[in-house]
Amino acid sequence: MKLNLNIEPLENWLTAKNQPLLISGPCSAETEDQLLTTAHLLAATGKVSVLRAGIWKPRTRPGEFEGIGSIGLEWLKRAKAETGLPTAVEVANAKHVEEALAAGVDILWIGARSTVNPFTVQEIADALKGHDIPVLVKNPVNPDLQLWIGAIERINKAGITKIGAIHRGFSSFEKSSFRNEPMWEMAIQLKTLCPELPIINDPSHICGNRELIPYISQKALDLDMQGLMIESHLDPSVAWTDAKQQLTPAAVNELMERLTVREPESQNEAFVDKLAELRKQIDKIDDLLLQKLGERMKIVEKIGEYKRDNQVTVLQVNRWDEILKKGTAFAKALKLDEHFTEKFLELVHGESIRLQTEILNEGKATQEGIAAEQHAEVKA
Ligand code: PEP
Ligand code: MN
């Protein structure tokens, strides 16, 4: 079901100086000189559309630098006057909103640690009532699409129609190369539910390091995201926050030059025909795959009944091990990605287990459990 939001198209409220649309600036405003020098260097690239800077910083541990505070708004005002760049800051409560509005900040954003809390988002929404200012909503720290949507809805209900989402990745228990797991499917689901909502990608907070930023930026553009928010500092090595992930303005310029901007559609007739033909082939194969999965599950049901009648457990670890080994070896020969194959086999095997559990316990009081598990899997 589509979301019922009243959103103005991005081009109504944000003029892109260049493609892709870029919001850049330091993680934190530190000193007037740092902010102004960075702003001038960014403006000189001609590729930056908005200057960002954190004034109030949500930090994991107390005692770390918590933002320069209201004085930074004066510096931003000066940066805007000198460079002509519109400005953006993070707001996390009503007081921040009031101060930012009074200082003439052009765009506000809600940080990931605020989006998780409906009380905070509602407080911000209430403070925004009666004002006409663009608001960007970062995804919540945890991968919960409903929380992200809820925050966007609260802001929209307050009368704000210039809204965008920022995809900055999600915290995960598992260690990975990313500071925050991209979980692209979350952003794709949001876009599917609300196609008119612009989504801007934040490679800086996804990566947590400089090295992976080009890869994530290109992927975001290839997934048709509307722009990028990238942290930059005149000397990242001495940045007071997020030193590992900030880029110099020169590196931002170089990154933008290397990115390939592709069109979401092509009007070229030959291309359109060829694509339609290839998609038809894929659809046919997908039908066959589903048909085969249906056949497979019918056999699984028979196995379940057989195990039930012979009082044998659902799971035989050796058997699963064998499926996995055989499957991944075959997939390798077919040049299929190993990780993909493993995930696919796990999903199929998980469904077999679920079906057999149902059959083994037919008529017993486990139906709620099975339903709960099914629901959990769908959610995941
Ligand atoms: C930031 O943009 O500097 C920031 C604090 O980001 P996030 O809310 O995504 O952690
Ligand atoms: Mn940051």
Side-chain angles (χ1 to χ4, degrees), residues 323-379:
I323 292 179
L324 197 61
K325 276 207 188 102
K326 239 175 49 190
T328 44
F330 185 39
K332 204 170 169 186
L334 294 169
K335 299 214 169 2
L336 278 170
D337 179 77
E338 202 178 321
H339 184 60
F340 163 76
T341 313
E342 250 184 63
K343 273 204 301 195
F344 174 73
L345 290 174
E346 263 170 31
L347 203 64
V348 173
H349 186 245
E351 177 60 7
S352 302
I353 287 183
R354 190 190 66 78
L355 263 177
Q356 291 186 43
T357 307
E358 208 173 75
I359 291 168
L360 258 71
N361 296 289
E362 246 164 23
K364 301 217 185 106
T366 54
Q367 296 311 314
E368 290 91 340
I370 288 168
E373 262 202 309
Q374 219 169 355
H375 184 68
E377 277 159 23
V378 171
K379 252 189 93 182

Side-chain angles (χ1 to χ4, degrees), residues 27 52 57-58 90 109 111-113 138 168 179 202 205 229 231 242:
C27 176
R52 65 148 277 159
K57 300 301 298 178
E90 173 177 350
W109 87 80
R113 290 161 194 78
K138 286 205 174 197
R168 52 77 79 193
R179 177 178 173 191
D202 174 348
H205 290 89
M229 181 190 254
E231 289 185 339
D242 288 353

Side-chain angles (χ1 to χ4, degrees), residues 27 43 59 70 74 94 102 104 130 135 140 234-235 243 279 282 333 343 346:
C27 176
R59 303 310 302 278
S70 315
E74 296 304 314
V135 178
L234 80 160
D235 184 359
R279 282 183 171 159
I282 277 197
K343 273 204 301 195
E346 263 170 31

Side-chain angles (χ1 to χ4, degrees), residues 295-307:
E295 287 172 20
R296 186 188 194 279
M297 292 310 164
K298 284 270 169 305
I299 299 177
V300 166
E301 277 175 25
K302 270 194 203 147
I303 293 182
E305 284 158 13
Y306 198 55
K307 284 179 182 170

